[in-house]
Amino acid sequence: MGFVFAILAGFFAAAYNLCLRKSVGVFQTARAFLMVELWVAGAFSVLLHPIFYQSYFFNIESIIFAAVTGLIFGAMLYFIGKAMQYGPAGLTIACLNSSNVFPGLIMACVFGASLGFDYTIFQAIGSVFVVAGIFWASWDLSSTASWKRWFFYCTAAFICHILFLAFMQWKAFMLDAPATVTYLRLISKRAAASHWFVPVFYFTAAYLHTAIFKLAEKRKLRQQERLYGTVGGVLNAGYAFCILLSTKYASPIENAMIFPVFSVVTILLCNLWGRWIYQENIHWKGCFLLILGLFLGTIDWITFVNALIKYS
């Protein structure tokens, strides 16, 4: 069942990115879309997290940590929207998802192998492949006038995504961290377990994008913007919830490959609709190198091999 939910999450994510791309195409900006979809995603996440789990605990520590995470998340979405204005959406999403290989390096540098954060040769090779794939896939754009802007915003989104995922891993680690780990404990175990974390980071990002929209545009929302934003918010909350379900119901083999499967499904679907709907030129060889790096760098190969031996 883990793979089923991961694939479903990939479909939701690809559909969300299509709504974002359509909004940029119709209105030349993603400001209104992002503002609306984040408020809708936040509302749905209240239903899917504290209400679904019947757990309502929160404290100032959990709120602050979630709010900082939300600011990073909001900045990432802003840069994605800007990147889609200047370059192909499919390649933008491929680059963003390939950043999944780098948070492991941050955690390994901070906590080390003694606390379970090894940085293997596979992760190092995967990281090299990802960087090479990004430059290879984007090389055809380098002759266009908008390439520098696209590359700047795509790189900024890439960095924000790495930080966002590192914060998420940091939070997850705090749930099971040994009592001896007192340094760099950004959040207590009780605060990390709060089911208000997801709603708060969505609402923080929503406040950020509301401020951006009000300052930049100072107008009323169009009906079509409300529609795209509402659908996008439901899809956003849906794929986040499916990812949580995929980790909950995954077998040992599936658990080692959930995030690569989700990322690859998202990348492939976004490139396909980019090609079919917007006639984007897809650099398939560069994208393949990205995907290969993603698999090498994010699969837990030891767990995967041990699970294969156990079930063979």
Side-chain angles (χ1 to χ4, degrees):
M1 284 299 291
F3 278 168
V4 173
F5 284 118
I7 292 170
L8 185 60
F11 273 90
F12 279 139
Y16 165 81
N17 289 314
L18 178 58
C19 286
L20 174 56
R21 175 63 181 85
K22 279 187 169 293
S23 182
V24 170
V26 174
F27 305 111
Q28 309 305 312
T29 176
R31 296 189 192 102
F33 170 85
L34 291 171
M35 179 182 67
V36 175
E37 73 92 359
L38 285 166
W39 284 115
V40 173
F44 267 84
S45 67
V46 172
L47 297 175
L48 296 174
H49 292 276
I51 293 177
F52 181 82
Y53 290 102
Q54 294 293 294
S55 176
Y56 302 102
F57 165 77
F58 69 92
N59 60 15
I60 189 64
E61 183 184 7
S62 62
I63 296 297
I64 292 173
F65 188 81
V68 172
T69 307
L71 289 174
I72 297 171
F73 182 70
M76 179 192 76
L77 292 177
Y78 172 79
F79 291 130
I80 293 171
K82 296 295 286 186
M84 285 189 180
Q85 289 180 233
Y86 298 106
L91 181 58
T92 301
I93 300 305
C95 293
L96 185 75
N97 278 275
S98 64
S99 64
N100 289 343
V101 301
F102 291 99
L105 174 60
I106 295 175
M107 300 302 285
C109 290
V110 173
F111 294 109
S114 61
L115 292 174
F117 293 100
D118 295 306
Y119 195 73
T120 67
I121 186 64
F122 293 109
Q123 289 170 298
I125 295 172
S127 300
V128 171
F129 280 8
V130 162
V131 173
I134 289 172
F135 279 99
W136 192 14
S138 62
W139 189 254
D140 291 343
L141 297 174
S142 60
S143 60
T144 63
S146 60
W147 181 80
K148 288 184 179 179
R149 288 187 175 184
W150 173 83
F151 190 77
F152 170 79
Y153 287 121
C154 192
T155 301
F158 186 87
I159 293 170
C160 287
H161 196 225
I162 293 171
L163 291 174
F164 172 71
L165 292 175
F167 266 68
M168 297 293 280
Q169 278 192 262
W170 214 309
K171 172 184 174 293
F173 174 64
M174 288 299 108
L175 290 171
D176 301 310
T180 54
V181 178
T182 55
Y183 62 95
L184 293 174
R185 184 179 282 275
L186 298 181
I187 187 171
S188 68
K189 182 175 181 178
R190 191 177 183 215
S194 173
H195 286 285
W196 284 103
F197 174 80
V198 175
V200 169
F201 89 65
Y202 271 131
F203 286 137
T204 302
Y207 272 112
L208 174 64
H209 280 275
T210 300
I212 292 171
F213 178 78
K214 295 293 185 183
L215 290 172
E217 305 208 17
K218 300 176 182 178
R219 62 174 176 83
K220 293 183 178 180
L221 287 170
R222 303 180 183 95
Q223 188 63 34
Q224 208 171 358
E225 288 174 326
R226 291 191 181 95
L227 175 62
Y228 282 140
T230 301
V231 173
V234 173
L235 291 170
N236 192 332
Y239 88 72
F241 190 60
C242 283
I243 284 292
L244 289 175
L245 291 177
S246 69
T247 58
K248 182 177 180 180
Y249 293 108
S251 67
I253 292 178
E254 290 176 327
N255 200 47
M257 297 183 67
I258 280 173
F259 291 106
V261 167
F262 161 71
S263 296
V264 169
V265 170
T266 305
I267 290 171
L268 289 176
L269 289 176
C270 287
N271 275 298
L272 287 173
W273 61 245
R275 179 63 178 170
W276 291 340
I277 299 175
Y278 297 102
Q279 288 75 52
E280 293 177 355
N281 293 320
I282 309 301
H283 195 300
W284 290 110
K285 291 180 180 179
C287 286
F288 174 77
L289 193 59
L290 281 173
I291 291 170
L292 180 60
L294 193 61
F295 266 96
L296 281 173
T298 57
I299 290 176
D300 185 342
W301 289 102
I302 295 175
T303 301
F304 181 67
V305 172
N306 289 338
L308 281 178
I309 294 171
K310 180 179 179 181
Y311 290 103
S312 61

